[in-house]
């Protein structure tokens, strides 16, 4: 079975063919959508426009993503995870969009809330991305009435495609909604991982099952970020193969609440974790892996324009050339596993806001290096990246075909 692009017969918001991403992908009982805002084509202006209150934007964004799923035979009851990218400008109205989501999906899906600088569509306050499994996957831990320490808002923990377990976004807040360890970035980082461990233990897993840890921090933490290495070495990679999860680090000028210096999205898997590394020595001493095979899923760290041998940042100031290196590295890792662009399931792109004028160049690179059915893709703007020379970081995920030798065991 292979990935197939979802192509609705009717999609009134914009003509969706011709992009280097699809509206969504499906394979068997599972589906993944790209990130969608409330943007729609205004024929009188000849361009995409965004307007309205947060409630109005949320109504459209959720209608679009649900229409995509319905075109592939899925319903709202099948959604396992909702990712909401909320801008600085939109965070003040967060509860408005949350009410729209609650009305459509209730408390059942896992909710990830990413505080982003802004979105590519300047006036958009919200971007929504969905994962779905027929029957809604399995709710491992239902949303509780009382606040749960370590979470931004109450959310379920859900198992979706191929044993993937989704945690809600983890933040350094206690059960009263108060920020813990104010002003201490490393202590907040440790608290987050320890709360993620508690959540995973509540569903029969540990941090040793984590396949990705994507963190979001503020620019003033960049100088002390290296100190998280010791915390990660202590708490992560505790599994039979000592495999560390994939990781990525994004800088936003503001996060979920005043005093929050870091937030994290953790994904885990019930399958054994296997390291995937095409031979890059730089990862030998790091607390994260370039790729992790878990069942049929290939989870990857964030990639940027880095020389893997010298660890030198490349093409400072040129987003197109950075995208070439970034996607080149992703393709190299895929090819080392006998995969290609058609197996690329998702890409999440974070572009530094000061680089956004050159963002069209990224699509040109994707058009040359990727191919149909095109991955489900989401893009947001950040304040910066951990290496100040970088203008782009990409978080990719791929899916091994059912007949791939790594899945069938042939040739082992």
């Amino acid at each position: 079975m292979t990935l197939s692009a979802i192509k609705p017969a009717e999609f009134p918001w914009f003509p969706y063919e011709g992009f280097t991403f699809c509206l969504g992908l499906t394979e068997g009982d599972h589906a993944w959508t790209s990130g969608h805002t409330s943007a729609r084509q205004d024929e009188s202006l000849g361009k995409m426009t965004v307007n309205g209150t947060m409630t109005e934007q949320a109504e459209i964004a959720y209608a679009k993503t649900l229409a995509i799923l319905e075109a592939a035979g899925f319903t709202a009851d099948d959604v396992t995870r909702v990712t909401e990218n909320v801008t600085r400008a939109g965070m003040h109205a967060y509860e408005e969009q949350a009410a729209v989501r609650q009305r459509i999906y209730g408390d059942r899906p896992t909710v990830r809330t990413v505080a982003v600088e802004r979105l590519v569509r300047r006036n958009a306050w919200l971007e929504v991305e969905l994962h779905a499994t027929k029957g809604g996957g399995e709710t491992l831990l239902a949303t509780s009435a009382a606040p749960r320490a370590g979470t931004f808002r109450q959310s379920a923990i859900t198992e979706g495609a191929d044993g993937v377990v989704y945690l809600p976004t983890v933040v350094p807040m206690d059960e009263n909604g108060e920020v813990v360890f104010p002003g201490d970035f490393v202590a907040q980082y440790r608290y987050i991982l320890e709360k993620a461990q508690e959540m995973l233990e509540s569903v029969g897993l540990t941090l040793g099952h984590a396949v990705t840890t994507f963190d979001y921090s503020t620019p003033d933490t960049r100088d002390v970020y290296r100190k998280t290495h010791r915390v990660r070495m202590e708490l992560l990679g505790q599994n039979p193969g000592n495999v560390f999860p994939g990781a990525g680090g994004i800088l936003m000028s503001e996060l979920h609440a005043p005093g929050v210096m870091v937030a994290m999205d953790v994904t885990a898997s019930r399958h054994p974790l296997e390291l995937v590394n095409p031979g890059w020595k730089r990862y030998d001493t790091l607390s994260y892996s370039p790729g992790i095979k878990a069942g049929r899923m290939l989870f990857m760290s964030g990639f940027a324009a880095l020389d893997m041998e010298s660890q030198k940042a490349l093409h400072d100031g040129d987003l197109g050339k950075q995208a070439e290196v970034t996607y080149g590295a992703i393709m190299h890792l895929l090819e080392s596993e006998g995969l290609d662009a058609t197996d690329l399931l998702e890409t999440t792109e974070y572009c530094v806001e000061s680089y956004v004028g050159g963002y069209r160049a990224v699509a040109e690179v994707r058009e040359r290096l990727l191919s149909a059915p095109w991955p489900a893709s989401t893009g947001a703007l950040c304040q910066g990246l951990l290496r100040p020379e970088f203008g782009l970081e990409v978080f990719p995920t791929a899916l091994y075909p059912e007949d791939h030798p790594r899945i069938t065991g042939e040739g082992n």
Side-chain angles (χ1 to χ4, degrees):
M1 196 171 290
T2 57
L3 292 168
S4 299
I6 302 173
K7 297 183 177 183
E10 295 184 7
F11 195 71
W13 295 279
F14 61 87
Y16 58 82
E17 298 283 8
F19 292 97
T20 60
F21 61 89
C22 63
L23 293 181
L25 288 172
T26 185
E27 196 228 34
D29 289 338
H30 311 291
W32 303 260
T33 76
S34 289
H36 290 274
T37 68
S38 62
R40 62 171 66 206
Q41 182 74 14
D42 188 322
E43 296 300 339
S44 65
L45 298 175
K47 64 179 182 179
M48 299 279 278
T49 61
V50 174
N51 50 52
T53 65
M54 175 61 97
T55 297
E56 291 168 335
Q57 290 194 26
E59 292 279 6
I60 296 172
Y62 280 108
K64 288 165 75 172
T65 47
L66 188 54
I68 294 164
L69 290 183
E70 289 176 343
F74 293 79
T75 71
D77 291 338
D78 297 322
V79 172
T80 53
R81 191 190 79 182
V82 177
T83 297
E84 46 188 35
N85 291 324
V86 185
T87 68
R88 292 175 60 194
M91 191 59 79
H92 77 283
Y94 177 83
E95 298 303 335
E96 293 181 31
Q97 74 84 25
V100 175
R101 168 178 35 81
Q102 173 80 16
R103 175 171 52 79
I104 300 171
Y105 298 108
D107 291 327
R108 190 182 39 74
T110 299
V111 178
R112 298 197 324 177
T113 304
V114 184
V116 301
E117 204 71 12
R118 72 173 180 89
L119 296 167
V120 177
R121 303 291 177 187
R122 180 175 289 277
N123 294 328
W125 286 348
L126 172 71
E127 183 176 35
V128 175
E129 170 204 294
L130 305 178
H131 286 188
T133 292
K134 290 287 179 67
E138 181 179 356
T139 299
L140 303 178
L141 184 66
T143 301
S144 59
R148 185 180 298 142
T151 58
F152 175 55
R153 292 290 189 275
Q154 288 304 92
S155 172
I157 299 174
T158 310
E159 183 172 336
D162 196 33
V164 177
V165 175
Y166 305 115
L167 295 189
T169 298
V170 193
V171 293
M173 302 175 78
D174 63 20
E175 62 276 5
N176 299 313
E178 299 294 327
V179 174
V180 299
F181 304 111
D184 190 333
F185 171 69
V186 177
Q188 288 192 5
Y189 199 98
R190 175 182 286 275
Y191 178 88
I192 281 174
L193 283 178
E194 289 175 345
K195 288 302 171 185
Q197 169 78 353
E198 291 178 14
M199 290 183 210
L200 288 169
E201 287 179 345
S202 72
V203 298
L205 302 175
T206 71
L207 273 178
H209 293 89
V211 289
T212 54
T213 60
F214 295 139
D215 59 61
Y216 317 93
S217 54
T218 54
D220 56 359
T221 67
R222 186 185 266 148
D223 292 341
V224 296
Y225 188 87
R226 290 180 180 273
K227 294 183 179 180
T228 64
H229 174 77
R230 181 174 295 179
V231 178
R232 293 179 61 87
M233 292 294 289
E234 176 186 342
L235 298 179
L236 297 171
Q238 305 301 312
N239 50 57
N242 299 121
V243 178
F244 286 94
I250 307 297
L251 302 181
M252 305 293 183
S253 58
E254 295 177 10
L255 294 174
H256 300 69
V260 173
M261 304 174 76
V262 60
M264 187 181 294
D265 286 322
V266 178
T267 302
S269 175
R270 292 198 178 278
H271 291 286
L273 276 54
E274 301 177 46
L275 173 66
V276 175
N277 186 340
W280 294 323
K281 296 296 184 183
R282 67 179 298 268
Y283 289 94
D284 291 351
T285 58
L286 297 178
S287 59
Y288 56 96
S289 302
I292 301 93
K293 178 186 176 297
R296 289 183 56 206
M297 303 292 292
L298 174 57
F299 299 92
M300 290 171 264
S301 281
F303 284 87
L306 185 73
D307 184 305
M308 293 296 186
E309 298 301 323
S310 68
Q311 303 198 50
K312 177 183 177 182
L314 303 174
H315 308 302
D316 188 5
D318 190 324
L319 195 63
K321 290 183 178 178
Q322 287 196 22
E324 193 87 32
V325 174
T326 300
Y327 275 102
I330 293 168
M331 294 308 302
H332 180 62
L333 189 145
L334 290 177
E335 290 163 3
S336 75
E337 284 293 285
L339 302 173
D340 60 32
T342 64
D343 303 306
L344 195 56
L345 178 62
E346 293 182 292
T347 62
T348 301
E349 296 176 348
Y350 288 100
C351 177
V352 176
E353 188 172 21
S354 60
Y355 278 77
V356 72
Y359 194 52
R360 288 183 181 275
V362 179
E364 295 171 2
V365 172
R366 288 170 61 98
E367 187 169 16
R368 282 188 283 105
L369 298 185
L370 308 184
S371 62
W374 306 107
S377 300
T378 301
L381 303 186
C382 57
Q383 198 279 337
L385 297 170
L386 293 176
R387 292 281 292 267
E389 306 97 322
F390 292 154
L392 177 74
E393 185 164 340
V394 180
F395 299 167
T397 307
L399 183 69
Y400 292 87
E402 287 181 322
D403 60 356
H404 190 282
R406 291 271 273 149
I407 303 303
T408 63
E410 295 176 8
N412 289 349

